[in-house]
Amino acid sequence: MTPKEMVVTLRDRYADEIETILERYPAEQKRSAVMPLIFMAQREEGYITGSAIDEIAELLDIASTQVVSIVGFYTLFYANPGGMHRIQICTDLPCALRGADEFAEQVCENLGVKLGETTDDGQFTVEAVMCLAACDKAPMFQVQNSSGLTYYECQSADDVNVLVKELRTSPDDLDETVSG
Amino acid sequence: MADQVTLKIDGDVVSVPAGTLIVDAAKSVSNDIPVFCYHPKLDPVGMCRMCLVEVGTPLRDRESGEPELDEHGDQKINWMPKLQTACTVPVSAGMRVRTATQQVTRARKDVVEFLLTSHPLDCPVCDKGGECPLQNLTMSHGSGESRYLFDEKIQLQKRVPLGELIFLDRERCIQCARCTRFQDELVGEPVIGFDKRGRALQIVTFSEPGFDSHFSGNTTDICPVGALTTADFRFGARPWEMQHTPSICPHCTVGCNTHLNTRRSGMVGGTVIKRVMPRQNEKVNEIWLCDKGRFGHHFAGSSDRLTVPLVRKDGRTIEQSWEHVLPLVAAKLAAADGEVAGIAGERLSNEDLFCFQTLVEGLGGRTMQWPGRMGGGDLVQQVGVGAGTDLAQLGAETVILVVASDLAEEAPLWWFKVRQAATKAGATLNKHPASLVVANARDTKLDRYANHIVRYSYGDEVQTVQALTHAISGDGAGIETGIDAQHNPLLSEVARAIEAAENMIIIYGSEGLDFSGSGALAQACANLLIASGHVGGVGNGLLPVWPSNNTQGAWDMGVRPAGMSVSEFTSGAKVVLLAGADPVGDGESLPEDAFVVISELFKTDTASRADVVLPAQAFVEREGSYTSGDRRVQRFYPALPALGDAMPDWNIFVRLTALLGLGTVPAGAGAVMRQIAADVPRYDGISYERLADVEEQWPHVGGRDSYYGGTAFENSAGLGLQTPTLAEMGHQVQPGNVEPPSVESGEFLVVPITLLYDRGSMLLRSKIMHQRLPEPYIELNVVDAERAGVGAGDRVALRVNGHDWEMATRVSTSPPEGVILFPRSLAGPLLPRTMVASLRKLES
Amino acid sequence: MSEFLLLRHRNIGEEGIAELDEYLRLGGFQAFRKVVTQMSPQQVIDLVKASGLRGRGGAGFPTGIKWSFLSDRFPRYVVANSDESEPGTFKDREIMERNPFQFLEGLMICAYASQAHVAYNYCRGEFWQLVDELQSKVIQLHDHGMLGDRIFGSEFSLQIHHHLGAGAYICGEESALLESIEGKLGQPRLKPPFPADRGLYQQPTVVNNTETLANVPLIIERGAEWYRSIGVEKSCGPKIMCLSGHAKNPGNYEVPLGTTFRELIFDLADGITGDKRLKAILPSGASAPILPATDVVLDTPLTYEDVSLVGSQLGSASIILLDETVDVSWAAMKTTRFFKHESCGKCTPCREGTYWMDRLLHRINNGQGDHEDANLLGEVAKQITGKCLCPLGDFSTSAVISGLELFHDDFTQHVRNGNGSTVELSE
Ligand SMILES: Cc1cc2nc3c(=O)[nH]c(=O)nc-3n(C[C@H](O)[C@H](O)[C@H](O)COP(=O)(O)O)c2cc1C
Ligand code: SF4
Ligand code: FES
């Protein structure tokens, strides 16, 4: 097999991190590193690209399809691009008992989207998710973006408005990131 | 039998080996417990839940360990509170199993109902309809009506290509994972897998090309619904409309047993092969087929087949009847005064080769095997692998040495079985794997499973094996070798393993070697086997990776390689008689003044040069037998009517023999086999009747319950017979002299390698395979590529023997430095052996 | 309770306890030092057996006995189950946030007792930041010579690694969890073989819940007798009860096992939000049968035995309260949606059945159902029960079957009124 063409490889960028991850598992069990490597690769684009899948497969000496399966099975992994910030509101039973459904509706309304949708500027995706182990602090949500994953607890719709302002990258900044 | 366990299933007392699963134990007394995910060749996973049964074990007194009895003196049974999956629970002594209670019946109905909530129920248009486990089990266990709202069914894609060979119907998949487990456990190529989870679970592939595996077609056999179908057969026919004919795959030396499914086709206007299916032969192909065998059958039905005898007269070709043409040929042969050169292809059947040999011999002429590039057939007759050997079942007591062969490409089913032996994959888990030594100058797919990988330089094959012999016999035993194993830790280690092993098999090929080189390698391997005492028994001996399906048969029938070029061989011949051989197409020449007669399927280059062309029947139209590399003689049967006036090759030769007054015409192929049995050493006792013998095989496949083993066919047409080796017959076989080949030197060494999917005449005529056939290419080491200034994909001119050949380049770390890998039968010259060459990049 | 043993530390420290210096100052890691330098692995196992500690991950299996089941093969592994994904559970997270070293110490003692040299802490992926913190704590422990080679000059060496899940409840099931660490789909394995025989990488493995492990240092430090004195005979020790839903003061309550529902809900958590009437209790998240808020139930002690006597399970003690306004068919729809979403898809009844129940409950809740639908729902639930490969399938039917039994009207009223609220169908 000829190695697939890759523009910038994960190996180029994250050589040290890859090594640290691989060190956690026995040498002959490299496959164990697939989830941490997907997390790492996903930080980049907010989802996992085809070339990242191939590269992870190659790093771990497994088939690309096996990496795809892992991405597909776990809900924190994304095979497709979404908003820059994924606002994921828990609407599971305990949170719902404390008003999470109405809260989610409010947030959606304020952002002008429906659950599962992304704002027109591509910055926010609002999603309903299952229990996040913060049931006593409902309504709550997590934000997943390039800096990782952050919990926000005991929230109101107003709190979210403030947060959205903070997170929203101004169009100028956006341009900069794109060109830079 | 040591560890038999007795239990009771419903009313039946069953005795089976310890470790047997309930489902298999029940099967042995014809109690067909329904299954979907379970497959006897795969590790049990217990996920479909179709096989639920009631299981109880005898209550035992805590202190004495004695079974407790009730007031009637019967054993007290501790019934498990939940139903158990029969496919995952091994039997135990005194176990009781109930498979027909209301609770069990109810559970089966429940599970079928659950499966049908997703299922499209499109049986009338489904390829699996008629042989579908889900359909059958729904009939026997399902409920009559649906409680599930039809409009709540999920709509999914119905025609998803997983590559160009296999289609997936997402709606029909029941997530049993048989296909993915087959690829993962048994093939080691997990190129299909599940995406998503829960109800959204779907089969996907992310390989390039899609579903990239030589074994993909098997998944369509074991898929218990119509979710996976082959592109070849999709909507081709309904299973019950087809005729079934047992056959043998003609593509490689393994000799997989097949079933040809045929049907009358309005479009073609005759009977055609709709599909090729595996036929169970556990010692050969179990219930599997590689994709070449399954999809590469279309050459036989190709529209460019020859149908009438042709005679060249004054530069023109005219059609002739057999009545005219045979006397003409006979007259030419009679007039040749023994100056007859016979060239016969390794693909012909034993009957053809025997009659060919008899004819030419009778005329006082000489014969040659074509291409005849591999040696050692005589050694295989002496120390070939012991009869009854099953490669997949070899265990820790065995060393398997594979040398100079890329087994995955050259003999896929052997690769499959050797891999199984080396990993103990699938249902054989928990046994101890055989130790595998792979010796080659480059990496091959088998390396991944090897305990030891021996890398030699091309040209050092023979020396390497000799070094091992040297190392095990210790005192040198008079062996000359350029490689000192004593000071080579790896070779010493291998030698120790060989000494310690109870059994040893050497699988040898001819990569990088010509006829004499591979002959020398065979001798070196035979010497090693003899020296280490590994000949003459099951699990021991020499296994040749012949380049063709019936090379061994050709050796046995006396049609042997000539060890010289065709022009040398035919020089001085007045008549050249060819059968199934195309030397001209491969760049060889025939004498200008010789009268050339050929029997063939197609108008090959040699046929175009011939004075008389005789149309031969393809194997699907006639009877015959092939002898595989493990010397198993196997019969095939006519599946299609004869095409035009075409005749079986053997029949052409016996008619000529009769016309020449050299013999009589036997009554049929079976009668030819009787002659073979009488004349050919070690074929005595072989007859068509005995080749048709079968004995019971495990697992039971091909019965009505296609859910158990899939749609592979039961073998009721014969398992074949292995000819004995001299070693098995008690002969003391002596080691022979070995002449290591001399190594050429030059800018590059060009090494011809074999690909499963080449552009040879058989695959080129199977359109479905076209996308899998590589464009002509050569493969270079990265270092050489850099030095020569060529990159992957660049076009180069390769100069061999004064000719330039244009090819694309692949670059990898597989070929050693200074070596160009040159796949056979893609384009360019047929290189009989390694040669030196130079390379020039072409501007694009 | 007067003393916090798990969530804070030995009743003394407050927030500072998450710092290593403070934890050490209060006697932290003395238990670990003691086992490594003075006790044999067998002695540790015997002590934990004698303490009566039972697993806090849900099944309540005796911890010491589990450790003693390890097959005689090496290497062995220990794995902390910090996947915590049951709706209504949020105790392990708080332990790891507020008292991380006590948990780590427990994990380390478990590794010593199991003679494992590598321990993994499997955390749900959402605990991303928390795991970063824990990782820095692990590095501190290396710096202090408590992790790494030849700990306290002994032959014992140990590494702790974290492995993040990525959003899959089923990975809390121990065999699915192990598959997940191995880089495979998080689908449960067949049992037997159990992890103690063939666990991570087919080697003998102990899997314990985070809270279970946090108990271990206390047992070493103060002895089995002391531990048994907390709680009741078969269910002893402290237990964190996660109280959520309509509690006036939801949160984690660390109490001795044997405390009653009433004490917990009304004495400690001040009763029901808005002082409404309590209608029903889900004592173990979404997984166990719903209990009606009767006096008998309220006076039931929170022990493994007593809760099952009244028809449910204590499980991981994630207690969700439903007040009088809650429509149980709606609650069942929520739990069913959860299980449908989390079904791994491996076995038929769970994969298909949760989906079917979900459809039926949506129909019912949207007022589109007919009278048969409630019955059909019950039948589908029973059709799943007892046929699945792992307990998740059975879990998924608990709320449905018990809900239909206890609050049948809630399921049929929509048909009568034909006016259910419209519920969005996700996926
Ligand atoms: C579907 C399912 C989910 C589970 N989730 C968790 C979990 O999140 N955390 C946990 O500790 N145990 C969970 N368990 C229980 C574990 O399988 C296992 O019993 C437990 O981790 C053992 O630890 P313990 O003995 O300390 O309780 C779950 C079990 C099932 C069947
Ligand atoms: S019950 Fe079956 S489908 Fe459900 S989570 Fe367990 S194994 Fe997976
Ligand atoms: S669970 Fe036994 S056959 Fe599928």
Side-chain angles (χ1 to χ4, degrees):
Chain A
M1 201 191 74
T2 46
K4 292 180 184 153
E5 297 275 341
M6 269 163 295
V7 204
V8 190
T9 62
L10 297 172
R11 237 167 318 195
D12 295 338
R13 277 177 191 228
Y14 301 112
D16 292 347
E17 191 173 344
I18 293 173
E19 200 172 310
T20 329
I21 289 172
L22 285 172
E23 274 170 8
R24 287 184 217 153
Y25 309 98
E28 68 286 358
Q29 305 288 353
K30 277 199 292 192
R31 184 176 177 181
S32 282
V34 67
M35 290 173 71
L37 288 179
I38 294 172
F39 270 123
M40 185 192 80
Q42 188 167 280
R43 285 206 307 257
E44 201 68 9
E45 306 277 345
Y47 74 105
I48 176 117
T49 62
S51 64
I53 283 171
D54 287 339
E55 194 183 350
I56 291 171
E58 214 184 300
L59 277 167
L60 302 181
D61 200 13
I62 58 180
S64 298
T65 306
Q66 289 175 303
V67 182
V68 170
S69 287
I70 299 297
V71 173
F73 186 86
Y74 296 97
T75 55
L76 287 181
F77 296 146
Y78 304 101
N80 297 300
M84 285 169 61
H85 309 279
R86 288 174 187 269
I87 300 180
Q88 301 175 318
I89 305 167
C90 172
T91 58
D92 222 341
L93 178 62
C95 279
L97 289 167
R98 306 185 73 81
D101 282 321
E102 297 74 21
F103 170 76
E105 239 168 73
Q106 270 284 301
V107 172
C108 284
E109 208 179 297
N110 292 352
L111 281 167
V113 292
K114 289 215 193 76
L115 276 177
E117 289 180 352
T118 303
T119 53
D120 289 341
D121 59 2
Q123 296 215 29
F124 297 94
T125 304
V126 188
E127 292 162 318
V129 297
M130 298 301 158
C131 182
L132 294 175
C135 324
D136 54 335
K137 305 197 182 67
M140 67 79 60
F141 57 89
Q142 65 187 8
V143 175
Q144 231 186 317
N145 54 26
S146 59
S147 46
L149 194 154
T150 318
Y151 270 35
Y152 296 86
E153 299 174 319
C154 302
Q155 294 283 297
S156 69
D158 291 340
D159 295 337
V160 183
N161 287 340
V162 174
L163 178 68
V164 162
K165 252 191 220 118
E166 264 170 38
L167 290 177
R168 177 165 266 148
T169 325
S170 72
D172 308 344
D173 292 352
L174 253 188
D175 278 351
E176 218 164 89
T177 27
V178 169
S179 58
Chain B
M1 285 215 188
D3 288 17
Q4 288 291 112
V5 166
T6 304
L7 69 157
K8 209 165 159 192
I9 303 178
D10 295 338
D12 298 312
V13 176
V14 188
S15 205
V16 288
T20 304
L21 299 165
I22 292 175
V23 63
D24 292 333
K27 185 88 192 164
S28 72
V29 287
S30 300
N31 182 338
D32 295 344
I33 296 174
V35 297
F36 285 118
C37 67
Y38 179 70
H39 188 283
K41 293 280 182 188
L42 297 169
D43 272 346
V45 285
M47 55 197 265
C48 76
R49 319 303 287 177
M50 187 63 201
C51 64
L52 293 169
V53 293
E54 291 180 40
V55 178
T57 47
L59 269 178
R60 285 179 193 279
D61 187 87
R62 283 202 177 203
E63 263 147 45
S64 66
E66 290 298 306
E68 287 185 41
L69 304 180
D70 63 15
E71 61 271 27
H72 307 295
D74 291 335
Q75 278 198 357
K76 278 195 199 163
I77 298 294
N78 180 21
W79 291 98
M80 297 189 197
K82 279 187 173 186
L83 295 174
Q84 301 291 309
T85 42
C87 73
T88 64
V89 181
V91 297
S92 63
M95 179 183 266
R96 295 274 293 277
V97 179
R98 296 199 285 226
T99 73
T101 59
Q102 220 184 350
Q103 203 193 356
V104 172
T105 314
R106 171 85 220 181
R108 291 177 183 176
K109 196 170 144 218
D110 287 350
V111 173
V112 168
E113 183 181 32
F114 276 139
L115 288 172
L116 294 181
T117 61
S118 305
H119 200 77
L121 301 172
D122 56 349
C123 311
V125 294
C126 179
D127 282 327
K128 205 80 169 192
E131 55 186 14
C132 174
L134 180 61
Q135 199 178 32
N136 296 346
L137 291 177
T138 303
M139 296 296 191
S140 45
H141 303 287
S143 73
E145 59 188 278
S146 175
R147 300 184 295 167
Y148 190 82
L149 282 191
F150 186 78
D151 47 4
E152 289 191 348
K153 272 189 197 293
I154 299 185
Q155 308 273 303
L156 296 168
Q157 284 169 283
K158 305 252 346 137
R159 191 175 188 277
V160 183
L162 298 176
E164 58 279 357
L165 299 178
I166 308 292
F167 279 98
L168 167 67
D169 184 316
R170 290 206 195 284
E171 285 184 354
R172 292 183 192 149
C173 171
I174 60 163
Q175 288 82 24
C176 70
R178 274 187 180 186
C179 57
T180 54
R181 288 183 288 136
F182 170 79
Q183 283 299 133
D184 189 12
E185 289 171 28
L186 291 185
V187 187
E189 293 172 347
V191 293
I192 51 172
F194 278 123
D195 190 15
K196 304 284 177 350
R197 69 183 188 212
R199 180 65 186 283
L201 216 54
Q202 294 193 350
I203 297 292
V204 293
T205 180
F206 204 74
S207 66
E208 263 187 48
F211 203 161
D212 185 18
S213 169
H214 287 339
F215 299 93
S216 67
N218 296 298
T219 59
T220 65
D221 297 339
I222 59 174
C223 176
V225 294
L228 293 177
T229 48
T230 67
D232 207 19
F233 181 63
R234 227 177 119 80
F235 300 124
R238 311 313 309 256
W240 59 85
E241 305 168 335
M242 293 185 292
Q243 305 287 314
H244 308 297
T245 310
S247 192
I248 301 295
C249 178
H251 285 290
C252 83
T253 188
V254 174
C256 292
N257 292 208
T258 60
H259 242 252
L260 305 178
N261 288 182
T262 53
R263 197 190 71 164
R264 279 193 56 80
S265 156
M267 252 169 7
V268 184
T271 308
V272 294
I273 297 176
K274 299 305 290 186
R275 61 174 184 179
V276 176
M277 296 291 285
R279 175 168 55 109
Q280 184 177 27
N281 192 336
E282 286 299 315
K283 296 262 164 58
V284 182
N285 53 311
E286 306 177 24
I287 55 172
W288 316 118
L289 271 190
C290 82
D291 287 353
K292 186 177 190 178
R294 189 182 297 263
F295 300 119
H297 62 86
H298 294 275
F299 69 93
S302 171
S303 58
D304 61 344
R305 282 275 305 280
L306 297 166
T307 55
V308 276
L310 303 172
V311 175
R312 202 159 57 149
K313 239 187 183 158
D314 310 325
R316 284 193 315 125
T317 306
I318 51 171
E319 299 189 350
Q320 280 273 15
S321 69
W322 287 106
E323 287 68 36
H324 281 95
V325 81
L326 284 178
L328 169 78
V329 173
K332 287 285 183 189
L333 286 170
D337 278 337
E339 268 308 326
V340 177
I343 304 177
E346 298 164 45
R347 298 196 173 280
L348 297 177
S349 76
N350 289 327
E351 294 73 9
D352 304 334
L353 290 158
F354 177 80
C355 297
F356 182 86
Q357 179 71 17
T358 309
L359 169 64
V360 180
E361 228 172 59
L363 288 163
R366 53 193 184 272
T367 61
M368 157 178 189
Q369 188 189 105
W370 176 261
R373 58 176 174 79
M374 181 163 159
D378 45 343
L379 292 165
V380 175
Q381 293 162 351
Q382 295 172 36
V383 296
V385 67
T389 300
D390 182 344
L391 289 179
Q393 296 302 323
L394 301 175
E397 65 294 337
T398 310
V399 168
I400 306 173
L401 167 63
V402 179
V403 54
S405 172
D406 184 355
L407 215 48
E409 300 287 328
E410 299 178 54
L413 246 304
W414 284 353
W415 176 86
F416 181 96
K417 298 194 88 159
V418 168
R419 178 189 176 273
Q420 241 177 295
T423 58
K424 283 299 166 206
T428 47
L429 193 81
N430 292 335
K431 292 194 199 144
H432 299 288
S435 72
L436 174 64
V437 184
V438 178
N440 201 316
R442 60 173 175 119
D443 50 10
T444 61
K445 235 187 203 170
L446 203 55
D447 288 2
R448 180 177 269 249
Y449 310 104
N451 301 68
H452 304 284
I453 298 171
V454 178
R455 278 273 174 279
Y456 50 68
S457 302
Y458 283 112
D460 282 349
E461 299 82 358
V462 175
Q463 307 264 22
T464 304
V465 175
Q466 278 190 294
L468 287 173
T469 316
H470 184 88
I472 59 153
S473 38
D475 56 357
I479 291 168
E480 298 280 324
T481 163
I483 296 171
D484 180 3
Q486 311 290 5
H487 296 101
N488 179 320
L490 175 62
L491 288 179
S492 311
E493 217 178 304
V494 174
R496 296 295 82 77
I498 293 173
E499 276 173 336
E502 198 176 312
N503 298 328
M504 177 180 190
I505 286 182
I506 302 184
I507 303 178
Y508 82 101
S510 58
E511 180 170 312
L513 295 162
D514 61 2
F515 169 67
S516 70
S518 51
L521 177 62
Q523 186 67 63
C525 293
N527 291 355
L528 174 54
L529 289 164
I530 294 165
S532 59
H534 290 130
V535 294
V538 176
N540 288 287
L542 192 60
L543 189 59
V545 189
W546 294 125
S548 287
N549 57 328
N550 201 31
T551 311
Q552 185 63 43
W555 278 88
D556 293 347
M557 299 306 127
V559 180
R560 300 185 165 209
M564 58 179 88
S565 72
V566 168
S567 52
E568 284 171 303
F569 177 75
T570 53
S571 129
K574 294 202 176 105
V575 178
V576 181
L577 180 65
L578 300 109
D582 182 21
V584 176
D586 284 325
E588 297 270 1
S589 59
L590 299 172
E592 292 288 321
D593 50 353
F595 189 78
V596 177
V597 181
I598 186 169
S599 66
E600 249 304 353
L601 298 179
F602 304 108
K603 191 96 189 258
T604 60
D605 290 347
T606 309
S608 303
R609 150 75 183 83
D611 298 282
V612 174
V613 181
L614 306 171
Q617 284 180 2
F619 78 110
V620 294
E621 292 143 15
R622 42 162 291 196
E623 280 192 283
S625 69
Y626 296 135
T627 304
S628 51
D630 62 349
R631 305 178 325 286
R632 187 179 294 270
V633 186
Q634 305 190 102
R635 254 182 102 173
F636 56 87
Y637 298 76
L640 298 178
L643 193 67
D645 292 344
M647 220 189 260
D649 290 272
W650 65 264
N651 202 1
I652 299 174
F653 308 135
V654 294
R655 276 160 195 266
L656 288 171
T657 307
L659 283 173
L660 288 159
L662 298 169
T664 53
V665 178
V672 177
M673 181 51 83
R674 278 197 291 280
Q675 281 185 13
I676 292 175
D679 290 359
V680 175
R682 294 174 314 281
Y683 277 64
D684 44 316
I686 293 186
S687 66
Y688 271 18
E689 292 74 29
R690 286 198 59 207
L691 292 182
D693 281 349
V694 284
E695 54 192 54
E696 195 173 297
Q697 302 188 78
W698 183 263
H700 293 293
V701 302
R704 238 199 58 73
D705 60 331
S706 53
Y707 54 79
Y708 181 72
T711 45
F713 279 76
E714 183 187 352
N715 197 337
S716 51
L719 301 174
L721 282 176
Q722 281 174 293
T723 63
T725 57
L726 292 183
E728 285 169 294
M729 292 162 76
H731 289 255
Q732 203 63 42
V733 185
Q734 296 303 326
N737 275 335
V738 176
E739 293 238 352
S742 54
V743 188
E744 308 219 25
S745 65
E747 189 189 345
F748 283 108
L749 198 62
V750 178
V751 177
I753 58 168
T754 301
L755 298 183
L756 185 65
Y757 298 154
D758 61 16
R759 304 183 81 90
S761 63
M762 290 162 119
L763 282 187
L764 271 184
R765 287 181 172 83
S766 294
K767 267 216 191 71
I768 183 170
M769 300 300 290
H770 278 191
Q771 278 173 276
R772 298 266 148 155
L773 307 183
E775 290 303 316
Y777 73 93
I778 55 165
E779 192 164 334
L780 275 185
N781 184 286
V782 274
V783 178
D784 291 331
E786 197 161 312
R787 216 176 282 146
V790 292
D794 286 351
R795 294 198 71 77
V796 292
L798 185 72
R799 173 161 279 256
V800 200
N801 260 1
H803 288 279
D804 272 350
W805 301 94
E806 230 188 282
M807 309 262 169
T809 316
R810 289 190 190 179
V811 178
S812 77
T813 51
S814 173
E817 277 178 53
V819 165
I820 292 176
L821 299 179
F822 182 90
R824 282 196 176 85
S825 294
L826 285 189
L830 177 93
L831 298 179
R833 58 193 165 87
T834 59
M835 297 186 125
V836 294
S838 62
L839 193 71
R840 181 165 52 85
K841 183 177 170 180
L842 297 173
E843 296 312 320
S844 49
Chain C
M1 181 158 87
S2 58
E3 195 185 32
F4 289 108
L5 297 165
L6 301 170
L7 288 179
R8 294 177 210 162
H9 190 67
R10 294 154 172 86
N11 201 28
I12 311 169
E14 268 297 330
E15 302 309 322
I17 212 64
E19 301 306 322
L20 183 56
D21 291 344
E22 182 69 359
Y23 185 76
L24 287 172
R25 194 181 64 75
L26 294 169
F29 287 107
Q30 289 306 326
F32 180 57
R33 178 184 293 272
K34 181 170 163 195
V35 300
V36 173
T37 57
Q38 295 168 30
M39 292 173 79
S40 71
Q42 191 55 50
Q43 284 173 322
V44 180
I45 293 173
D46 290 341
L47 183 60
V48 173
K49 253 193 219 173
S51 76
L53 171 63
R54 294 171 66 172
R56 303 300 196 229
F61 192 83
T63 304
I65 294 182
K66 183 187 273 188
W67 295 3
S68 68
F69 279 163
L70 284 171
S71 290
D72 197 17
R73 287 186 291 124
F74 294 89
R76 294 169 173 177
Y77 295 96
V78 299
V79 179
N81 188 343
S82 308
D83 193 53
E84 187 153 73
S85 305
E86 179 73 45
T89 320
F90 39 86
K91 62 190 178 68
D92 299 337
R93 177 181 162 212
E94 190 164 341
I95 292 174
M96 289 189 287
E97 277 173 358
R98 294 177 56 153
N99 196 1
F101 288 110
Q102 187 168 324
F103 154 62
L104 289 173
E105 187 177 1
L107 178 59
M108 290 151 71
I109 294 169
C110 171
Y112 177 78
S114 314
Q115 294 167 273
H117 299 292
V118 179
Y120 291 97
N121 178 28
Y122 188 100
C123 281
R124 60 179 298 173
E126 292 83 353
F127 292 171
W128 191 87
Q129 288 184 328
L130 177 52
V131 165
D132 263 4
E133 303 256 313
L134 283 173
Q135 180 54 28
S136 62
K137 307 226 179 306
V138 164
I139 291 170
Q140 277 182 299
L141 290 178
H142 271 277
D143 294 345
H144 278 72
M146 285 185 288
L147 285 175
D149 287 339
R150 304 186 54 85
I151 297 165
F152 304 131
S154 74
E155 290 296 304
F156 183 63
S157 65
L158 178 63
Q159 305 283 335
I160 295 181
H161 302 295
H162 300 283
H163 187 97
L164 273 183
Y169 165 71
I170 188 61
C171 290
E173 192 284 328
E174 56 189 10
S175 66
L177 181 152
L178 297 175
E179 290 282 292
S180 181
I181 300 184
E182 290 183 8
K184 301 173 185 160
L185 297 191
Q187 294 184 324
R189 298 176 181 168
L190 281 174
K191 291 186 202 168
F194 291 93
D197 181 25
R198 296 195 175 266
L200 186 59
Y201 310 127
Q202 296 297 312
Q203 294 300 120
T205 303
V206 170
V207 183
N208 269 132
N209 172 251
T210 316
E211 183 186 354
T212 313
L213 293 167
N215 279 278
V216 173
L218 303 171
I219 293 168
I220 304 294
E221 203 178 88
R222 305 193 193 178
E225 277 310 306
W226 166 81
Y227 193 81
R228 296 195 80 97
S229 72
I230 305 169
V232 299
E233 198 202 334
K234 283 188 177 155
S235 297
C236 54
K239 174 81 190 83
I240 302 173
M241 310 291 171
C242 310
L243 196 62
S244 67
H246 289 138
K248 199 173 272 177
N249 284 313
N252 282 320
Y253 291 87
E254 183 184 326
V255 296
L257 282 163
T259 307
T260 64
F261 279 107
R262 195 187 297 283
E263 286 163 342
L264 174 68
I265 298 167
F266 291 96
D267 300 349
L268 295 171
D270 297 334
I272 308 302
T273 324
D275 292 321
K276 297 214 174 65
R277 198 172 58 79
L278 179 63
K279 178 172 180 178
I281 303 172
L282 283 84
S284 181
S287 299
I290 301 176
L291 292 174
T294 59
D295 284 337
V296 175
V297 167
L298 286 174
D299 289 325
T300 302
L302 290 157
T303 70
Y304 296 102
E305 299 72 31
D306 293 292
V307 180
S308 79
L309 273 180
V310 291
S312 191
Q313 303 290 324
L314 179 62
S316 52
S318 29
I319 301 166
I320 307 172
L321 304 182
L322 310 184
D323 73 14
E324 56 190 327
T325 66
V326 176
D327 172 352
V328 171
S329 81
W330 169 85
M333 183 184 69
K334 279 283 184 188
T335 62
T336 303
R337 187 185 73 149
F338 173 80
F339 289 113
K340 183 206 95 180
H341 187 262
E342 299 302 334
S343 169
C344 78
K346 186 169 182 174
C347 77
T348 309
C350 168
R351 179 184 68 236
E352 306 292 335
T354 52
Y355 189 84
W356 195 353
M357 290 199 300
D358 180 65
R359 293 283 124 158
L360 285 164
L361 279 160
H362 274 98
R363 268 210 315 261
I364 290 170
N365 273 274
N366 282 352
Q368 297 156 343
D370 59 32
H371 283 284
E372 266 315 291
D373 281 341
N375 292 337
L376 182 54
L377 177 66
E379 278 175 42
V380 174
K382 289 193 183 118
Q383 198 169 324
I384 301 172
T385 317
K387 298 196 187 67
C388 297
L389 182 104
C390 89
L392 189 148
D394 284 353
F395 290 172
S396 77
T397 65
S398 300
V400 173
I401 293 177
S402 59
L404 277 166
E405 221 168 77
L406 298 165
F407 304 98
H408 200 267
D409 273 359
D410 286 11
F411 291 79
T412 49
Q413 58 162 347
H414 300 283
V415 185
R416 263 201 317 278
N417 308 338
N419 71 343
S421 55
T422 305
V423 185
E424 289 286 325
L425 276 183
S426 55
E427 315 121 64

